[in-house]
Amino acid sequence: MQQIKPAWRDGYFRAKVVAVKKLSADMLEVLLRPESSWPAHIAGQHIALTLEINGRLTTRVFTIASGSDTYQKEKQIRLVTKVKAQGALTPYLLSCMPNQWVNISAPMGEFIWPKVEKPLLMIAGGSGITPFIAMLDDAINNGQLKHTPVHLLYFAKPDEHVLLNELSAFSKGCEHFTYDVLSKQKDGDVEAHLCNFANAHWLVCGPHAMFEQVESYAKTINAPVSSEHFAALPVLSSASLSQSETFSLVHNGQSLTVDNQQTLLIQLQQAEQPVTYGCGMGICHQCQCVKKRGVVRDTRTGELSDSAEQLIQLCVSQAVTDLEIQL
Ligand code: FES
């Protein structure tokens, strides 16, 4: 199949690299043209991008930094990402060539323009600017910005803000859109900038620490918050679980001892079992498998599964009883 359709993979969509451009020392813009069967995104959603690196499929999640109207017109989407020197995937994006095929997932995520009759406060940290750029791109195109006042607080390290020319164009194109370019070093913590927006609906995308500050401040004034934060949520500490226990994990006829402190994915990897995975944080579903019996705990919420057969994600599941799964 791959001889007819390069990079074809069951369960993935294909996309052609259109261009890769450096936006700053470590920020990169990647333009992709998804194949025609790809279901169009809603501004604010993300995709899982998969590259074959040294013979191994590697997946990471990226928010699409362009609106859906732009996709309808140009048939391409844009990713904007920080290149992490030791990253598993981002350093390889630099060497992607135009016309190279990569794999992407369908668009995912609920972090989209909220259906509320209120002004919006967008709070971005670092590369958390990307969903807001996509939302503003659409809101300018479909006229929504004429009805909804939007203010953006954009935090990044000094001189590491990107896409400022686009923010400037949005603001020149619509008087309802205003923004502040901020850095913690110069302007202080995000809390210091929130008190004037008690009547707005808040949207926050950035590092987990920023989200926690915004969320706890919002609680004190009852401001509604929608959020997106890609860093893995902190795993419930072992202190909050019952003491360390071990269980048997049966998979495909083999048996393994696992504990209730680490995720099943980590323990299967340590035991050198062949597991498929991608983001490692519960987003891409590539580690999904069938649990035949037993109870697992979701490390993000602490919720327990029931004991019946169901789909689980290995990267966010810990054993609570003996388990049987089908990889
Ligand atoms: S590896 Fe992405 S959801 Fe588990």
Side-chain angles (χ1 to χ4, degrees):
M1 191 63 178
Q2 290 194 342
Q3 291 195 335
I4 310 164
K5 283 187 161 196
W8 177 88
R9 288 193 172 86
D10 191 21
Y12 295 77
F13 292 93
R14 300 186 312 149
K16 221 173 210 184
V17 175
V18 176
V20 178
K21 186 173 107 187
K22 269 192 158 191
L23 296 179
S24 68
D26 60 356
M27 291 296 284
L28 207 61
E29 176 186 84
V30 181
L31 295 179
L32 298 175
R33 183 180 296 272
E35 62 185 338
S36 57
S37 57
W38 186 72
H41 68 296
I42 302 171
Q45 287 190 304
H46 50 266
I47 52 165
L49 170 71
T50 302
L51 294 184
E52 188 174 327
I53 298 167
N54 300 329
R56 188 183 169 138
L57 294 180
T58 304
T59 302
R60 288 294 177 269
V61 173
F62 300 92
T63 301
I64 300 168
S66 49
S68 52
D69 280 1
T70 302
Y71 172 66
Q72 297 302 348
K73 274 185 231 134
E74 299 174 5
K75 297 291 172 225
Q76 58 189 39
I77 57 173
R78 172 175 69 167
L79 310 179
V80 172
T81 181
K82 188 166 183 142
V83 178
K84 297 181 189 132
Q86 303 305 321
L89 186 140
T90 53
Y92 297 92
L93 286 173
L94 262 174
S95 49
C96 281
M97 301 303 287
N99 293 325
Q100 175 180 337
W101 287 101
V102 296
N103 293 110
I104 59 174
S105 69
M108 306 176 270
E110 310 290 325
F111 189 64
I112 57 177
W113 191 280
K115 292 193 178 104
V116 292
E117 304 283 321
K118 276 180 165 228
L120 298 184
L121 175 66
M122 297 176 165
I123 306 160
S127 51
I129 190 65
T130 49
F132 298 128
I133 292 282
M135 289 182 207
L136 291 165
D137 183 21
D138 267 2
I140 288 271
N141 283 327
N142 63 24
Q144 197 151 18
L145 257 189
K146 291 198 185 116
H147 311 294
T148 310
V150 176
H151 188 75
L152 167 72
L153 301 175
Y154 176 17
F155 278 86
K157 292 195 182 133
D159 303 323
E160 291 197 4
H161 298 83
V162 292
L163 306 175
L164 291 179
N165 52 344
E166 291 181 34
L167 291 177
S168 163
F170 291 151
S171 138
K172 282 188 187 129
C174 181
E175 61 186 28
H176 279 114
F177 173 63
T178 49
Y179 65 101
D180 293 320
V181 175
L182 304 160
S183 63
K184 199 170 153 181
Q185 293 79 347
K186 200 158 58 69
D187 303 290
D189 273 334
V190 63
E191 285 129 317
H193 301 267
L194 299 174
C195 59
N196 296 329
F197 301 98
N199 294 328
H201 182 101
W202 296 3
L203 295 145
V204 54
C205 184
H208 192 72
M210 170 188 252
F211 162 73
E212 281 186 328
Q213 284 180 11
V214 172
E215 196 196 32
S216 74
Y217 190 92
K219 275 194 190 134
T220 65
I221 57 167
N222 281 330
V225 185
S226 313
S227 69
E228 185 83 296
H229 39 107
F230 285 146
L233 291 168
V235 171
L236 292 182
S237 74
S238 45
S240 68
L241 302 174
S242 54
Q243 68 202 58
S244 178
E245 284 181 72
T246 53
F247 302 102
S248 79
L249 172 69
V250 174
H251 69 91
N252 305 4
Q254 300 188 47
S255 183
L256 195 72
T257 301
V258 293
D259 65 30
N260 62 347
Q261 306 290 301
Q262 302 204 72
T263 64
L264 295 176
L265 178 64
I266 288 175
Q267 297 184 77
L268 283 161
Q269 286 175 316
Q270 283 168 350
E272 298 184 346
Q273 299 301 308
V275 272
T276 306
Y277 69 100
C279 64
M281 57 178 83
I283 295 172
C284 71
H285 288 263
Q286 287 199 50
C287 64
Q288 191 162 281
C289 73
V290 178
K291 171 178 69 65
K292 308 288 283 180
R293 64 179 170 85
V295 177
V296 294
R297 181 193 321 268
D298 186 315
T299 59
R300 299 165 297 182
T301 61
E303 242 172 70
L304 299 182
S305 71
D306 60 36
S307 55
E309 181 167 319
Q310 63 185 167
L311 286 173
I312 60 166
Q313 289 161 274
L314 294 170
C315 69
V316 290
S317 297
Q318 287 169 327
V320 176
T321 65
D322 290 338
L323 295 169
E324 182 179 350
I325 59 173
Q326 195 175 347
L327 287 178

